[in-house]
Amino acid sequence: MASTRVFAARLAGLVVLGPDGESIGRVRDAAISIRFDRQQPRVLGLIVELPTRKRIFVPMLRVTSIEPGSVSLNTGTVSLRRFQKRPGEMLALAQILDSRVYVEDPDLPELAGVEVFVADLGMEQTRTRDWVVSRVAVRRYRGLGRALRRSAIHVVDWNDVRGLTLQQLNLPGQSVTALLEQFEGLRPADVAHLLRELPEKRRIELVRALDNERLADVVQELPETDQIDVMQNLGVSRAADVLEAMDPDDAADLLGELPKGEAEALLAQMDPEESEPVRRLLEYSPYTAGGMMTPEPVVLPPAANVAEALARVRDPDLPAALASMVFVVRPPTATPTGRYLGCVHTQRLLREPPATLLGGIVDTDLSQLRPETTLPAVTRYFATYNLVCGPVVDSENHLVGAVTVDDLLDHLLPEDWREHDEEAHEVQAGAHAGTGVGTAAEGEVQ
């Protein structure tokens, strides 16, 4: 049954359907206009994520119904321009949930003078078909744990809440619990994409709330300018911890973009065991095999057997490209290794008995890359041998690392490719109309 009253958090993730039932995307947030006179804010529209991860604005006037599992529009034509928040607008889920507020409701004396937190926003449609925020759900605790489970939810009128002005909502210290819950289970690349969509204040708060491992994975998926901005907002000690959790080649790429003094300060703060491979990578030009390689491929001695090799490539934390090949060397097996003997492709491992020694099936014919091999030559190498991973061997025949196809693509694509990856599938046009009025001339998709 279609509803004219709904809570904002329940909209998150609902599929958005056109008039013919075709899926357009999913709701990720709602844009509202906070007023200075404390009147109920207007709900301007929904932030809808397309299958390409791009977020667009859909005016509420185009919403015909909100069902338990979907939102239906009165048109299949929507503006494709990326959503950009305007002055005076706030995002219901990303910016208002978990805000500190006070309630002045005579029917709830137990909340008088007590700091509470916004748990949800109640929205309803008026007789003029406009949507407004009329109710606010609050609770005494925020975050996770036993206290939150005991915390009762109180739903009060918008006018009985103090603390939801533009100035107060932009103060530091707002919790990001609701945001973190939304990001659970998402791939790092998706979190990075969503992070860039947040207002600066919320972006910084979320970055500081993520644990080091998760943040490292996300930072690796950001454009270089955003990576630098994130690291500079963390402080030297926390930034060094995040660098330690990053892949050495990604950490080296990031440090290579920082001023030399800042990079050295971070390296000095890192654990020596973690900083040593990063320092080695920084010695190479970024557009060479040495500058692109990872110093941590799968490396085993010739006496290891197929079962051991398969156990290594089954590691769920190992990138797929690195899992495609095992490199066989004389000890030591840490890069720079002993004498490089060759490689064994994972497909070959799958065809051999588990007890077979790697030394007996090693491929010695595959050419190797040198650390100084240029980007065009590395590209030709991958194309010639149909590889997703290739060994980098120095002049003394020591394996020093491996180049993977994702590292190669990162260097082949324009520096800002992450900002425009969805444009290959869509025509960029149209406008986010805060009034809810759209025309066919805006550049739309049907």
Side-chain angles (χ1 to χ4, degrees), residues 167-232:
Q167 294 87 346
Q168 292 165 316
L169 287 170
N170 280 312
L171 291 174
Q174 183 183 355
S175 170
V176 291
T177 301
L179 270 181
L180 290 173
E181 290 174 355
Q182 289 184 55
F183 290 165
E184 283 185 13
L186 293 182
R187 293 175 181 269
D190 295 326
V191 177
H193 178 80
L194 298 176
L195 189 69
R196 298 184 65 246
E197 301 286 329
L198 292 175
E200 182 179 4
K201 170 182 171 287
R202 290 300 271 164
R203 183 165 58 246
I204 294 172
E205 290 169 342
L206 181 64
V207 161
R208 291 175 177 171
L210 292 170
D211 64 62
N212 291 340
E213 294 287 341
R214 181 65 158 163
L215 182 56
D217 291 339
V218 171
V219 168
Q220 291 174 170
E221 301 296 336
L222 289 170
E224 290 176 354
T225 54
D226 292 295
Q227 289 181 338
I228 294 170
D229 182 62
V230 166
M231 301 306 276
Q232 291 177 335

Side-chain angles (χ1 to χ4, degrees), residues 228-380:
I228 294 170
D229 182 62
V230 166
M231 301 306 276
Q232 291 177 335
N233 274 294
L234 291 178
V236 174
S237 179
R238 175 82 197 283
D241 291 340
V242 173
L243 285 168
E244 289 178 2
M246 292 174 65
D247 295 333
D249 52 325
D250 289 306
D253 288 342
L254 174 52
L255 288 170
E257 297 297 321
L258 292 174
K260 189 172 182 179
E262 290 184 29
E264 187 54 45
L266 289 169
L267 284 166
Q269 190 74 24
M270 293 172 65
D271 184 283
E273 289 188 8
E274 300 291 346
S275 64
E276 193 275 333
V278 177
R279 289 183 184 275
R280 280 195 284 115
L281 292 174
L282 287 169
E283 295 175 1
Y284 302 108
S285 169
Y287 290 94
T288 63
M292 290 185 284
M293 70 183 180
T294 172
E296 299 177 346
V298 180
V299 184
L300 288 170
N305 60 32
V306 167
E308 294 175 73
L310 287 174
R312 290 285 300 277
V313 300
R314 285 193 189 103
D315 182 353
D317 294 327
L318 187 68
L322 284 180
S324 69
M325 189 177 290
V326 174
F327 300 106
V328 183
V329 304
R330 296 292 182 192
T333 55
T335 57
T337 69
R339 185 163 66 91
Y340 176 72
L341 302 178
C343 62
V344 182
H345 299 269
T346 299
Q347 283 190 336
R348 177 70 185 272
L349 293 173
L350 295 172
R351 295 196 294 265
E352 297 291 338
T356 303
L357 298 182
L358 299 184
I361 58 173
V362 66
D363 180 356
T364 59
D365 296 329
L366 181 67
S367 300
Q368 303 103 44
L369 297 165
R370 295 293 184 191
E372 64 275 10
T373 304
T374 62
L375 177 61
V378 174
T379 306
R380 290 193 295 271

